[in-house]
């Protein structure tokens, strides 16, 4: 091997899984972390789209519950707050 190059060859004699070896070489922990990070990288666009669609549906539900709401109506204010808390997952 040429001087100055990093040895990234996988030593099959180590008796470990390839994903464990790659995780060790990358310095990210074990095979589970490697597999999770690999999944995120491969599916990042669909994961972001799902998050955006979920937030959009939460926002639409909140708006529909409060559309035409009278000012200073404590019952409607409590319902709106309860809906918001529920949709955000705080409750």
């Amino acid at each position: 091997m040429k001087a100055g190059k990093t040895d990234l060859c996988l030593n099959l004699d180590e008796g470990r899984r390839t994903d464990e070896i790659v995780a060790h070489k990358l310095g990210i922990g074990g095979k589970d972390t490697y597999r999770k990070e690999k999944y995120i990288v491969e599916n990042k666009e669909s994961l972001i789209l799902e998050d955006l669609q979920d937030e959009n549906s939460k926002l639409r539900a909140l708006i529909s519950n409060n559309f035409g709401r009278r000012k200073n109506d404590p019952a409607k204010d409590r319902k709106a707050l309860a809906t918001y808390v529920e949709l955000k997952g705080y409750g």
Side-chain angles (χ1 to χ4, degrees):
M1 177 166 271
K2 293 182 180 179
K5 287 196 172 188
T6 305
D7 181 14
L8 294 178
C9 296
L10 301 179
N11 186 353
L12 298 178
D13 295 332
E14 292 183 34
R16 295 188 297 171
R17 294 171 46 114
T18 303
D19 51 4
E20 289 175 341
I21 297 168
V22 172
H24 176 73
K25 295 281 185 184
L26 293 175
I28 59 171
K31 66 179 181 179
D32 293 331
T33 305
Y34 167 75
R35 293 171 72 197
K36 288 175 187 176
E37 289 185 16
K38 181 180 175 188
Y39 176 82
I40 290 170
V41 168
E42 291 174 349
N43 298 292
K44 63 186 170 194
E45 290 177 8
S46 63
L47 293 172
I48 291 171
L49 184 59
E50 287 175 17
D51 270 352
L52 290 175
Q53 289 172 340
D54 188 41
E55 289 299 317
N56 185 39
S57 65
K58 289 178 184 178
L59 182 58
R60 287 185 180 277
L62 183 62
I63 290 170
S64 69
N65 285 338
N66 294 300
F67 186 77
R69 175 170 76 92
R70 286 190 357 228
K71 289 185 178 183
N72 300 322
D73 185 349
K76 291 261 184 182
D77 289 341
R78 281 192 299 277
K79 182 179 178 186
L81 181 58
T83 302
Y84 178 77
V85 168
E86 179 183 340
L87 291 173
K88 290 303 279 183
Y90 299 133

